[in-house]
Amino acid sequence: MENRTLGSLTVSALGLGCMGMSEFYGEGDDRESLATISAFLDAGGSLLDTADMYGPFTNEKLVGKAIAGRREDVVLATKFGNERRDDGSFVGVNGKPEYVRSACDASLQRLGVDHIDLYYQHRVDKTVPIEDTVGAMAELVQAGKVRHLGLSEAAPDTIRRAHAVHPITALQTEYSLWEREPETKVFPVLEELGIGFVPYSPLGRGFLTGQIRSEEDFAENDFRRHSPRFQGDNFKRNLELVDRVKELADQKQCTPGQLALAWLLAQGEHIVPIPGTKKRERLAENLGATAVVLSEEDLKRLDELAPAGSTAGARYPNMASIDV
Protein backbone atom coordinates (compact mmCIF):
# COMPACT_ATOMS: atom_id res chain seq x y z
CA MET A 1 0.00 0.00 0.00
CA GLU A 2 1.21 3.51 -0.74
CA ASN A 3 2.05 5.84 2.14
CA ARG A 4 0.93 9.37 2.94
CA THR A 5 2.01 11.93 5.50
CA LEU A 6 0.07 13.42 8.38
CA GLY A 7 2.17 16.42 9.29
CA SER A 8 5.59 14.79 9.73
CA LEU A 9 4.18 11.30 10.39
CA THR A 10 4.29 8.71 7.60
CA VAL A 11 1.34 6.28 7.51
CA SER A 12 -0.43 3.98 5.07
CA ALA A 13 -2.85 5.68 2.67
CA LEU A 14 -5.73 3.88 4.40
CA GLY A 15 -5.87 3.21 8.11
CA LEU A 16 -8.00 0.70 10.00
CA GLY A 17 -10.59 1.88 12.50
CA CYS A 18 -10.87 -0.73 15.25
CA MET A 19 -13.78 0.64 17.31
CA GLY A 20 -16.49 -1.62 15.88
CA MET A 21 -14.52 -4.71 16.81
CA SER A 22 -15.44 -4.13 20.46
CA GLU A 23 -18.56 -1.97 20.64
CA PHE A 24 -21.29 0.09 18.98
CA TYR A 25 -21.84 -2.03 15.84
CA GLY A 26 -23.32 -5.21 17.27
CA GLU A 27 -21.47 -8.21 18.64
CA GLY A 28 -17.80 -8.67 17.92
CA ASP A 29 -15.66 -11.74 17.26
CA ASP A 30 -12.20 -11.29 18.72
CA ARG A 31 -10.67 -14.10 16.67
CA GLU A 32 -11.89 -12.61 13.38
CA SER A 33 -10.91 -9.12 14.54
CA LEU A 34 -7.37 -10.25 15.31
CA ALA A 35 -7.19 -11.90 11.89
CA THR A 36 -8.47 -8.70 10.27
CA ILE A 37 -5.79 -6.56 11.93
CA SER A 38 -3.14 -9.08 10.90
CA ALA A 39 -4.39 -9.07 7.30
CA PHE A 40 -4.31 -5.26 7.28
CA LEU A 41 -0.68 -5.22 8.39
CA ASP A 42 0.22 -7.98 5.92
CA ALA A 43 -1.25 -5.84 3.12
CA GLY A 44 1.10 -2.99 4.00
CA GLY A 45 -1.30 -1.04 6.19
CA SER A 46 0.20 0.64 9.23
CA LEU A 47 -2.22 3.09 10.88
CA LEU A 48 -4.39 1.43 13.54
CA ASP A 49 -6.96 3.63 15.27
CA THR A 50 -8.43 2.87 18.69
CA ALA A 51 -9.43 4.74 21.88
CA ASP A 52 -9.57 4.03 25.59
CA MET A 53 -13.36 4.43 25.66
CA TYR A 54 -14.06 1.74 23.07
CA GLY A 55 -15.38 -1.27 24.91
CA PRO A 56 -14.82 0.49 27.26
CA PHE A 57 -11.10 -0.30 27.56
CA THR A 58 -11.29 -3.68 25.80
CA ASN A 59 -10.47 -2.43 22.28
CA GLU A 60 -7.03 -1.22 23.30
CA LYS A 61 -6.34 -4.64 24.82
CA LEU A 62 -7.48 -6.31 21.60
CA VAL A 63 -5.24 -4.08 19.47
CA GLY A 64 -2.35 -4.65 21.87
CA LYS A 65 -2.74 -8.39 21.47
CA ALA A 66 -2.92 -8.06 17.68
CA ILE A 67 0.33 -6.08 17.39
CA ALA A 68 2.39 -8.06 19.88
CA GLY A 69 5.58 -8.93 18.03
CA ARG A 70 4.76 -6.53 15.17
CA ARG A 71 5.21 -3.16 16.84
CA GLU A 72 7.62 -1.96 14.15
CA ASP A 73 4.93 -2.46 11.48
CA VAL A 74 2.38 -0.27 13.26
CA VAL A 75 1.60 3.42 13.55
CA LEU A 76 -0.51 3.26 16.68
CA ALA A 77 -3.17 5.90 17.33
CA THR A 78 -5.37 6.07 20.40
CA LYS A 79 -7.41 8.71 22.20
CA PHE A 80 -8.40 10.02 25.60
CA GLY A 81 -11.06 12.44 26.75
CA ASN A 82 -14.38 10.60 26.62
CA GLU A 83 -14.26 9.34 30.19
CA ARG A 84 -16.18 6.15 30.99
CA ARG A 85 -16.57 3.82 33.94
CA ASP A 86 -15.89 0.09 33.87
CA ASP A 87 -19.64 -0.60 33.59
CA GLY A 88 -19.75 1.39 30.33
CA SER A 89 -21.49 4.46 31.70
CA PHE A 90 -20.24 7.82 30.53
CA VAL A 91 -18.68 10.30 32.97
CA GLY A 92 -18.21 13.11 30.45
CA VAL A 93 -15.49 14.87 28.48
CA ASN A 94 -12.31 15.35 30.49
CA GLY A 95 -9.34 17.44 29.36
CA LYS A 96 -7.79 18.13 32.76
CA PRO A 97 -3.98 17.80 32.72
CA GLU A 98 -3.91 15.22 35.52
CA TYR A 99 -6.42 13.10 33.60
CA VAL A 100 -4.38 13.37 30.42
CA ARG A 101 -1.38 11.88 32.21
CA SER A 102 -3.27 9.07 33.93
CA ALA A 103 -5.23 8.17 30.78
CA CYS A 104 -2.02 7.87 28.76
CA ASP A 105 -0.39 5.58 31.33
CA ALA A 106 -3.49 3.38 31.38
CA SER A 107 -3.57 3.18 27.56
CA LEU A 108 0.11 2.24 27.39
CA GLN A 109 -0.50 -0.58 29.83
CA ARG A 110 -3.54 -1.92 27.98
CA LEU A 111 -1.81 -1.70 24.61
CA GLY A 112 1.34 -3.32 25.95
CA VAL A 113 3.64 -0.72 24.38
CA ASP A 114 6.13 1.86 25.62
CA HIS A 115 4.91 4.67 23.38
CA ILE A 116 1.89 5.83 21.37
CA ASP A 117 2.62 7.15 17.88
CA LEU A 118 -0.39 9.48 17.63
CA TYR A 119 -2.31 10.54 20.73
CA TYR A 120 -5.62 12.35 20.20
CA GLN A 121 -7.83 14.36 22.48
CA HIS A 122 -11.06 12.55 21.58
CA ARG A 123 -13.36 15.50 22.31
CA VAL A 124 -12.58 19.05 23.35
CA ASP A 125 -13.32 19.77 27.01
CA LYS A 126 -14.94 23.19 26.89
CA THR A 127 -14.37 23.68 30.65
CA VAL A 128 -10.58 23.39 30.36
CA PRO A 129 -8.42 25.78 28.28
CA ILE A 130 -7.06 23.87 25.29
CA GLU A 131 -3.63 25.25 26.16
CA ASP A 132 -3.71 23.34 29.47
CA THR A 133 -4.78 20.08 27.86
CA VAL A 134 -2.25 20.25 25.02
CA GLY A 135 0.40 21.40 27.45
CA ALA A 136 -0.05 18.15 29.36
CA MET A 137 -0.01 16.20 26.08
CA ALA A 138 3.25 17.94 25.15
CA GLU A 139 4.74 16.73 28.43
CA LEU A 140 3.96 13.19 27.32
CA VAL A 141 5.97 13.81 24.14
CA GLN A 142 8.88 15.11 26.18
CA ALA A 143 8.68 12.03 28.39
CA GLY A 144 8.84 9.73 25.35
CA LYS A 145 5.41 8.23 25.97
CA VAL A 146 3.87 9.85 22.88
CA ARG A 147 5.40 10.76 19.49
CA HIS A 148 2.74 12.95 17.84
CA LEU A 149 -0.36 14.84 18.99
CA GLY A 150 -3.82 14.98 17.46
CA LEU A 151 -7.24 16.49 18.04
CA SER A 152 -10.68 15.14 17.21
CA GLU A 153 -13.75 17.21 16.32
CA ALA A 154 -11.96 20.49 17.10
CA ALA A 155 -13.00 23.86 15.72
CA PRO A 156 -10.59 26.13 13.77
CA ASP A 157 -9.86 28.46 16.70
CA THR A 158 -9.20 25.51 19.00
CA ILE A 159 -6.82 24.01 16.44
CA ARG A 160 -4.88 27.26 16.16
CA ARG A 161 -4.57 27.65 19.92
CA ALA A 162 -3.50 24.03 20.37
CA HIS A 163 -0.96 24.21 17.56
CA ALA A 164 0.61 27.28 19.18
CA VAL A 165 1.39 25.17 22.27
CA HIS A 166 2.71 22.09 20.45
CA PRO A 167 2.57 21.08 16.77
CA ILE A 168 -0.62 19.18 15.99
CA THR A 169 0.02 16.34 13.54
CA ALA A 170 -3.54 15.35 12.67
CA LEU A 171 -7.16 16.30 13.08
CA GLN A 172 -9.72 13.51 13.15
CA THR A 173 -13.29 14.44 12.23
CA GLU A 174 -16.19 12.75 10.47
CA TYR A 175 -15.91 13.29 6.72
CA SER A 176 -17.39 11.42 3.78
CA LEU A 177 -19.63 11.82 0.77
CA TRP A 178 -22.49 12.38 3.19
CA GLU A 179 -20.65 14.68 5.63
CA ARG A 180 -18.93 17.55 3.84
CA GLU A 181 -18.75 20.23 6.55
CA PRO A 182 -14.96 19.97 7.16
CA GLU A 183 -14.27 21.24 3.64
CA THR A 184 -15.24 24.81 4.50
CA LYS A 185 -14.89 24.63 8.27
CA VAL A 186 -11.42 23.23 9.01
CA PHE A 187 -9.63 22.45 5.74
CA PRO A 188 -8.30 26.02 5.31
CA VAL A 189 -6.64 26.06 8.75
CA LEU A 190 -5.23 22.55 8.29
CA GLU A 191 -3.64 23.57 5.00
CA GLU A 192 -2.26 26.76 6.55
CA LEU A 193 -0.69 24.94 9.51
CA GLY A 194 0.41 21.78 7.68
CA ILE A 195 -1.82 19.45 9.69
CA GLY A 196 -2.99 16.10 8.31
CA PHE A 197 -6.62 15.02 8.24
CA VAL A 198 -8.01 11.64 9.30
CA PRO A 199 -11.67 11.17 8.32
CA TYR A 200 -13.53 8.79 10.59
CA SER A 201 -16.75 7.11 9.45
CA PRO A 202 -15.57 7.55 5.83
CA LEU A 203 -18.28 5.12 4.73
CA GLY A 204 -21.06 7.00 6.50
CA ARG A 205 -21.14 4.43 9.32
CA GLY A 206 -21.60 1.73 6.71
CA PHE A 207 -24.44 3.46 4.89
CA LEU A 208 -22.35 4.32 1.82
CA THR A 209 -21.54 0.66 1.20
CA GLY A 210 -25.08 0.15 -0.09
CA GLN A 211 -25.45 -2.90 2.16
CA ILE A 212 -27.88 -1.24 4.59
CA ARG A 213 -31.43 -1.16 3.26
CA SER A 214 -33.56 -1.26 6.41
CA GLU A 215 -33.35 -0.38 10.08
CA GLU A 216 -33.82 -4.10 10.65
CA ASP A 217 -30.31 -4.64 9.27
CA PHE A 218 -28.94 -3.49 12.64
CA ALA A 219 -28.51 -5.61 15.75
CA GLU A 220 -30.48 -4.54 18.83
CA ASN A 221 -27.33 -3.10 20.46
CA ASP A 222 -26.18 -1.24 17.34
CA PHE A 223 -26.03 2.49 18.12
CA ARG A 224 -27.14 3.36 14.59
CA ARG A 225 -30.68 2.45 15.63
CA HIS A 226 -30.61 5.73 17.59
CA SER A 227 -28.77 7.85 15.02
CA PRO A 228 -30.91 10.55 13.35
CA ARG A 229 -29.57 9.73 9.89
CA PHE A 230 -30.76 6.14 10.18
CA GLN A 231 -34.31 6.86 11.28
CA GLY A 232 -37.66 7.43 9.56
CA ASP A 233 -37.80 9.82 6.64
CA ASN A 234 -34.09 10.62 7.02
CA PHE A 235 -33.30 6.97 6.34
CA LYS A 236 -35.40 6.97 3.18
CA ARG A 237 -33.87 10.19 1.85
CA ASN A 238 -30.35 8.98 2.54
CA LEU A 239 -31.04 5.71 0.76
CA GLU A 240 -31.77 7.76 -2.35
CA LEU A 241 -28.35 9.40 -2.06
CA VAL A 242 -26.66 6.01 -1.75
CA ASP A 243 -28.53 4.65 -4.74
CA ARG A 244 -27.32 7.58 -6.84
CA VAL A 245 -23.72 6.87 -5.81
CA LYS A 246 -24.18 3.18 -6.62
CA GLU A 247 -25.07 4.02 -10.22
CA LEU A 248 -21.65 5.58 -10.75
CA ALA A 249 -19.95 2.76 -8.85
CA ASP A 250 -21.52 0.25 -11.21
CA GLN A 251 -20.17 2.24 -14.16
CA LYS A 252 -16.69 2.25 -12.58
CA GLN A 253 -16.96 -1.50 -11.88
CA CYS A 254 -16.34 -1.05 -8.18
CA THR A 255 -18.50 -1.19 -5.06
CA PRO A 256 -20.19 1.94 -3.64
CA GLY A 257 -17.90 1.70 -0.61
CA GLN A 258 -14.78 1.62 -2.76
CA LEU A 259 -16.04 4.62 -4.71
CA ALA A 260 -16.68 6.54 -1.47
CA LEU A 261 -13.16 5.82 -0.20
CA ALA A 262 -11.56 6.61 -3.56
CA TRP A 263 -13.38 9.95 -3.52
CA LEU A 264 -11.91 10.73 -0.09
CA LEU A 265 -8.39 9.80 -1.19
CA ALA A 266 -8.79 12.14 -4.15
CA GLN A 267 -9.56 15.13 -1.91
CA GLY A 268 -5.93 15.64 -0.92
CA GLU A 269 -2.62 13.88 -0.21
CA HIS A 270 -2.88 14.89 3.45
CA ILE A 271 -6.09 12.84 3.91
CA VAL A 272 -5.93 9.32 5.40
CA PRO A 273 -9.35 7.69 5.91
CA ILE A 274 -9.78 5.04 8.62
CA PRO A 275 -12.65 2.80 7.50
CA GLY A 276 -13.58 0.42 10.28
CA THR A 277 -14.38 -3.24 9.88
CA LYS A 278 -14.18 -6.41 11.92
CA LYS A 279 -14.18 -8.81 8.97
CA ARG A 280 -11.38 -9.73 6.57
CA GLU A 281 -13.84 -9.80 3.67
CA ARG A 282 -14.79 -6.16 4.17
CA LEU A 283 -11.16 -5.21 4.74
CA ALA A 284 -10.22 -6.61 1.34
CA GLU A 285 -13.03 -4.63 -0.26
CA ASN A 286 -11.92 -1.42 1.45
CA LEU A 287 -8.29 -1.86 0.45
CA GLY A 288 -9.45 -2.27 -3.15
CA ALA A 289 -10.43 1.40 -3.10
CA THR A 290 -6.78 2.37 -3.53
CA ALA A 291 -6.90 0.95 -7.06
CA VAL A 292 -9.97 2.97 -8.12
CA VAL A 293 -8.94 5.91 -10.29
CA LEU A 294 -11.35 8.83 -10.50
CA SER A 295 -11.19 11.38 -13.29
CA GLU A 296 -12.06 15.04 -12.88
CA GLU A 297 -15.35 14.23 -14.56
CA ASP A 298 -16.01 11.45 -12.02
CA LEU A 299 -15.31 13.81 -9.13
CA LYS A 300 -17.59 16.45 -10.60
CA ARG A 301 -20.30 13.84 -11.07
CA LEU A 302 -20.02 12.76 -7.42
CA ASP A 303 -20.37 16.36 -6.31
CA GLU A 304 -23.62 16.44 -8.27
CA LEU A 305 -24.84 13.11 -6.92
CA ALA A 306 -23.99 13.86 -3.28
CA PRO A 307 -23.71 17.63 -2.91
CA ALA A 308 -22.70 19.16 0.41
CA GLY A 309 -25.66 19.41 2.75
CA SER A 310 -27.76 16.79 0.97
CA THR A 311 -27.69 14.23 3.79
CA ALA A 312 -30.78 14.20 5.99
CA GLY A 313 -30.42 14.29 9.78
CA ALA A 314 -27.82 15.25 12.37
CA ARG A 315 -24.66 13.19 12.84
CA TYR A 316 -25.42 12.40 16.50
CA PRO A 317 -28.58 12.51 18.65
CA ASN A 318 -26.81 15.15 20.73
CA MET A 319 -24.25 17.39 19.04
CA ALA A 320 -23.51 19.38 22.21
CA SER A 321 -20.18 17.63 22.78
CA ILE A 322 -18.81 18.75 19.39
CA ASP A 323 -16.52 21.79 19.43
CA VAL A 324 -17.83 24.44 17.03
Side-chain angles (χ1 to χ4, degrees):
M1 194 187 311
E2 293 183 359
N3 287 329
R4 293 190 167 193
T5 55
L6 299 171
S8 60
L9 180 63
T10 300
V11 300
S12 50
L14 281 179
L16 176 61
C18 299
M19 179 187 78
M21 296 175 178
S22 301
E23 196 179 14
F24 300 113
Y25 291 102
E27 296 301 321
D29 178 340
D30 284 358
R31 180 176 296 183
E32 179 63 17
S33 293
L34 290 170
T36 299
I37 294 173
S38 180
F40 173 73
L41 298 176
D42 290 344
S46 62
L47 180 62
L48 294 177
D49 184 272
T50 181
D52 57 4
M53 63 89 72
Y54 299 157
F57 315 121
T58 55
N59 195 244
E60 285 186 327
K61 293 178 181 178
L62 178 72
V63 171
K65 183 177 181 180
I67 68 174
R70 302 193 66 169
R71 183 65 181 92
E72 68 281 359
D73 298 332
V74 176
V75 177
L76 184 58
T78 191
K79 317 176 197 70
F80 74 92
N82 275 324
E83 189 177 2
R84 296 179 74 181
R85 301 181 183 90
D86 288 334
D87 64 3
S89 59
F90 285 83
V91 179
V93 177
N94 192 340
K96 296 177 181 176
E98 59 270 22
Y99 180 73
V100 175
R101 292 186 282 267
S102 64
C104 179
D105 287 341
S107 286
L108 289 170
Q109 184 175 21
R110 285 188 291 267
L111 290 161
V113 298
D114 62 4
H115 72 277
I116 295 163
D117 297 303
L118 178 57
Y119 199 41
Y120 290 99
Q121 182 184 19
H122 206 161
R123 290 291 185 271
V124 175
D125 186 344
K126 300 174 184 178
T127 69
V128 177
I130 192 65
E131 291 82 0
D132 293 353
T133 302
V134 176
M137 295 170 72
E139 292 174 5
L140 297 174
V141 176
Q142 295 161 8
K145 296 180 179 182
V146 170
R147 299 283 171 83
H148 298 265
L149 302 185
L151 301 175
S152 179
E153 294 285 1
D157 182 59
T158 302
I159 297 168
R160 290 183 186 280
R161 289 166 56 197
H163 194 73
V165 175
H166 187 282
I168 299 300
T169 293
L171 174 73
Q172 183 172 140
T173 295
E174 183 173 354
Y175 180 50
S176 69
L177 273 172
W178 82 343
E179 182 49 56
R180 307 282 296 274
E181 187 178 43
E183 293 173 349
T184 55
K185 187 176 179 182
V186 296
F187 276 16
V189 71
L190 298 184
E191 182 177 1
E192 175 190 338
L193 299 177
I195 298 172
F197 186 67
V198 178
Y200 74 81
S201 296
L203 294 172
R205 307 188 189 283
F207 209 93
L208 293 171
T209 65
Q211 300 296 312
I212 299 169
R213 308 303 300 178
S214 165
E215 295 175 41
E216 299 307 312
D217 290 335
F218 305 128
E220 288 297 328
N221 59 345
D222 192 312
F223 92 104
R224 288 173 292 188
R225 282 183 172 269
H226 309 288
S227 172
R229 292 186 173 178
F230 292 86
Q231 295 178 327
D233 289 339
N234 290 342
F235 191 99
K236 296 175 184 177
R237 286 178 55 190
N238 292 333
L239 271 181
E240 295 172 2
L241 183 153
V242 172
D243 289 342
R244 293 196 300 269
V245 172
K246 186 178 184 305
E247 290 181 12
L248 180 57
D250 290 342
Q251 295 173 22
K252 299 291 293 183
Q253 297 184 316
C254 64
T255 68
Q258 289 172 334
L259 183 64
L261 291 174
W263 176 84
L264 274 174
L265 291 169
Q267 301 310 302
E269 288 296 320
H270 66 296
I271 294 176
V272 178
I274 50 169
T277 184
K278 48 190 173 183
K279 296 181 180 180
R280 283 169 285 181
E281 177 186 358
R282 293 297 177 206
L283 172 69
E285 178 183 340
N286 292 343
L287 296 181
T290 60
V292 177
V293 178
L294 299 179
S295 66
E296 288 299 321
E297 184 176 337
D298 292 331
L299 294 172
K300 181 180 179 181
R301 179 66 177 145
L302 278 168
D303 275 334
E304 295 170 350
L305 295 172
S310 60
T311 307
R315 292 196 284 135
Y316 291 102
N318 179 8
M319 291 289 291
S321 67
I322 303 298
D323 187 35
V324 294

